[in-house]
Amino acid sequence: MNVTQSLITKYILIMIAAVLIIPVSFFAGSWLITVPFMHIQGLLNEEYKGKSYYEQIWNQEAKKLEGANEKTINQKLKLLKEKYPEASMFWVNEAGQTQLPLPYHESLPKQWSSSYTAEFIKKRYGNDPYTVITFIGTDKKQGFMVIEVPEKAVEPPIQRLDPAYYNIYLGFVFIIVLSFIVLSLFFFLRIRKRLRALQAAMNNKDEQGIPLPVVSESTDEIGQLEQSFNQMVKQLHESRDREQQEEQLRQDLIMSLSHDLRTPLTTVRTHIYQMKNEEMALNVQQSLEVIDTKVEFVSDLIDNLFSYTLLLNRKYPYREEEVDMARFLRKSIAQWYPLFEEENMEVDIQLPSQSIYWRGDVQWLERIIDNLCQNVIRHAKEGNFIGFRLVQEHDLSSLTISDKGSGFNKNSHTKQNGVGLAIVDAMIKEMGLTWSIHSTKHGTDIQIVYKASD
């Protein structure tokens, strides 16, 4: 995988950008916003005169006036006033008298006392205007000179920008930070969208119950996960195809064996029938009866396996029609009645006098009744009872077949040796019917329910 395409690399870049976004945005804002504004207000080329500048210049000029007379000092102050028009200045001679205030201030006293000088210095210290007081020359007896500069004049140029500048500057920084947040959010939302698409693909299955493949457009970690998911889907399809092929081979084998075993079984039953007509010992007759019963059981089992395989392959003929269930049941029960009598079973028949119609295949319904009756004779004949009850309530009608055997479980019985019940289950579901089994140690009720369509 390309390192530049990795989500980890992208995430690290986002973290680095998160750390640098604030200082970078302030730096970019200074160049893109501050410089143009300073140029517009004429501050870009202006010489910066800070507090240290005025203090240094004022001290130098005072030292140059060493031994100067009053006229010279006045001339110098006038020149300095022309050079620094924004400042106020004056000087006090050795007698403590105010000389040449530029401009004139009524608040300045004509005579300075030591107490007023101390109060003046206290008021000016750290306040507006910025004040520099220095002695003239090196001899403190010449007096001192004072310069007062408005606080705004000694501020850096950036602090003298128009107030609208700060709003634009902060807006620019806000837009940069907001853009970073939006891009970061887009990054994580895109990851979330791809994961949700993968989740949806896992839940969205085709007709075989296998998830659908996803479109992989990236080689990052999620892209690799998508490719692995597609590979898994491919393997599932291959496995399902092999399973279907094996199932088809198994069903073909069952159908072939069922067909091939019928002929020898028929031959065996023919010879058994002939041997029964011969005179032989009682124990031999009993053995022939057991063999005949087992052969019949195997023959029925083969027939059921053959039918069940046809049902699974949807090759069992189905012809739907309207069936009068009361009439159909009378005919079917009549065919089984001699066998019920032979087994000494009490037969309870409760069929309505009026017709109750079901939609289905007569041959399928007959196979269902035959398998259920055969199941009762084989597994519940000790109860010596079988009952048939057909009832209708509104759009629902039901057929209940009852016995008084020891009971059984539908699922376990089907798994062990109930191929006949498996056929019953498949046919009932295919015809749109429902069925249920209620079994206790006192007997079993099998109910088949039909709902009339509108």
Side-chain angles (χ1 to χ4, degrees):
M1 180 183 66
N2 191 347
V3 177
T4 58
Q5 297 294 326
S6 173
L7 291 176
I8 296 178
T9 302
K10 295 177 182 179
Y11 181 75
I12 293 175
L13 291 177
I14 289 177
M15 292 298 99
I16 294 175
V19 174
L20 299 178
I21 188 66
I22 299 297
V24 169
S25 61
F26 275 100
F27 178 78
S30 298
W31 279 98
L32 298 177
I33 305 298
T34 305
V35 173
F37 261 81
M38 292 180 66
H39 179 73
I40 292 172
Q41 293 187 229
L43 300 174
L44 190 60
N45 299 321
E46 180 181 318
E47 181 184 1
Y48 173 58
K49 302 172 183 176
K51 294 180 179 180
S52 59
Y53 172 81
Y54 283 101
E55 182 176 357
Q56 181 181 0
I57 291 298
W58 200 247
N59 288 331
Q60 291 175 356
E61 296 296 337
K63 288 180 180 179
K64 292 178 182 179
L65 295 175
E66 173 74 27
N69 56 28
E70 180 178 341
K71 182 179 179 181
T72 302
I73 295 175
N74 287 340
Q75 289 178 349
K76 187 62 176 178
L77 253 64
K78 289 178 181 179
L79 292 175
L80 290 174
K81 177 61 178 176
E82 293 178 359
K83 187 175 181 180
Y84 305 108
E86 70 278 4
S88 300
M89 54 190 74
F90 61 92
W91 67 287
V92 178
N93 60 19
E94 67 277 8
Q97 296 174 344
T98 302
Q99 302 293 323
L100 192 64
L102 300 173
Y104 175 76
H105 290 283
E106 295 182 355
S107 59
L108 293 176
K110 292 182 179 180
Q111 184 68 40
W112 288 64
S113 62
S114 57
S115 60
Y116 181 81
T117 302
E119 183 67 22
F120 179 82
I121 294 173
K122 182 179 179 181
K123 285 183 178 180
R124 291 296 192 272
Y125 181 77
N127 291 321
D128 190 12
Y130 174 67
T131 304
V132 179
I133 304 174
T134 185
F135 289 103
I136 299 173
T138 57
D139 187 2
K140 298 180 181 180
K141 294 181 180 181
Q142 277 190 268
F144 58 89
M145 51 193 292
V146 179
I147 183 172
E148 296 179 326
V149 184
E151 190 72 25
K152 191 173 182 179
V154 296
E155 289 179 345
I158 192 171
Q159 294 185 9
R160 285 181 275 159
L161 288 172
D162 189 278
Y165 154 78
Y166 297 100
N167 295 330
I168 297 175
Y169 182 79
L170 293 177
F172 174 81
V173 173
F174 175 77
I175 291 174
I176 296 295
V177 174
L178 182 62
S179 301
F180 169 76
I181 294 174
V182 171
L183 290 176
S184 302
L185 184 62
F186 175 78
F187 173 76
F188 289 106
L189 286 178
R190 185 169 178 268
I191 293 178
R192 180 176 179 271
K193 180 181 178 181
R194 294 172 65 189
L195 292 175
R196 292 291 296 272
L198 188 59
Q199 181 185 17
M202 292 179 181
N203 296 328
N204 191 13
K205 299 178 175 59
D206 58 17
E207 64 277 0
Q208 292 184 327
I210 299 177
L212 297 174
V214 297
V215 178
S216 180
E217 299 178 348
S218 178
T219 59
D220 57 17
E221 288 80 356
I222 297 181
Q224 290 181 335
L225 179 61
E226 292 170 341
Q227 293 173 6
S228 299
F229 176 77
N230 291 338
Q231 184 65 25
M232 180 197 70
V233 171
K234 181 181 178 181
Q235 292 175 355
L236 285 175
H237 277 290
E238 293 174 352
S239 176
R240 185 62 57 86
D241 291 340
R242 288 194 301 269
E243 181 182 340
Q244 290 177 351
Q245 292 174 1
E246 293 171 358
E247 179 65 19
Q248 186 63 43
L249 288 174
R250 184 183 67 84
Q251 293 176 3
D252 292 342
L253 178 62
I254 291 175
M255 293 178 67
S256 178
L257 288 175
S258 299
H259 183 270
D260 293 341
L261 289 174
R262 281 180 176 180
T263 300
L265 285 176
T266 302
T267 304
V268 171
R269 294 194 69 179
T270 302
H271 285 282
I272 291 173
Y273 177 77
Q274 292 177 353
M275 292 177 66
K276 283 182 179 180
N277 295 329
E278 301 292 334
E279 292 184 3
M280 58 188 66
L282 180 61
N283 59 342
V284 176
Q285 288 282 354
Q286 291 175 347
S287 297
L288 285 176
E289 290 292 338
V290 172
I291 293 173
D292 189 28
T293 302
K294 295 301 180 181
V295 169
E296 182 182 1
F297 175 78
V298 172
S299 178
D300 292 340
L301 181 60
I302 291 174
D303 186 52
N304 283 334
L305 283 172
F306 184 74
S307 299
Y308 188 61
T309 304
L310 289 176
L311 281 171
L312 292 179
N313 290 330
R314 298 184 179 274
K315 295 180 179 180
Y316 203 95
Y318 180 74
R319 303 175 187 85
E320 185 177 288
E321 59 181 294
E322 198 171 64
V323 181
D324 185 344
M325 287 301 296
R327 182 179 178 181
F328 165 76
L329 287 172
R330 289 189 185 95
K331 180 180 177 181
S332 298
I333 295 171
Q335 293 174 354
W336 280 89
Y337 207 87
L339 189 55
F340 293 151
E341 285 186 336
E342 183 180 338
E343 299 292 342
N344 296 319
M345 298 179 67
E346 176 187 351
V347 182
D348 180 29
I349 303 174
Q350 300 179 31
L351 302 178
S353 57
Q354 71 275 16
S355 298
I356 297 178
Y357 291 97
W358 288 13
R359 297 234 18 121
D361 188 301
V362 174
Q363 301 297 326
W364 286 36
L365 290 171
E366 185 176 350
R367 185 61 179 269
I368 291 172
I369 298 300
D370 289 348
N371 283 12
L372 292 178
C373 290
Q374 191 177 66
N375 187 73
V376 172
I377 291 175
R378 285 181 178 172
H379 305 289
K381 63 181 180 180
E382 72 274 8
N384 297 323
F385 176 85
I386 185 170
F388 299 88
R389 184 164 61 95
L390 180 65
V391 296
Q392 182 171 15
E393 294 182 2
H394 305 294
D395 60 341
L396 294 178
S397 55
S398 63
L399 168 62
T400 304
I401 300 177
S402 307
D403 66 66
K404 294 182 180 180
S406 58
F408 74 99
N409 179 270
K410 170 186 173 183
N411 294 326
S412 63
H413 191 81
T414 302
K415 289 177 182 178
Q416 292 173 3
N417 55 7
V419 181
L421 286 184
I423 293 175
V424 170
D425 182 70
M427 286 184 167
I428 285 177
K429 290 180 179 178
E430 189 69 23
M431 288 193 294
L433 307 176
T434 58
W435 74 311
S436 61
I437 296 180
H438 177 68
S439 184
T440 66
K441 63 180 180 179
H442 302 296
T444 301
D445 292 333
I446 299 178
Q447 185 181 54
I448 303 174
V449 179
Y450 171 80
K451 183 177 181 181
S453 58
D454 297 336

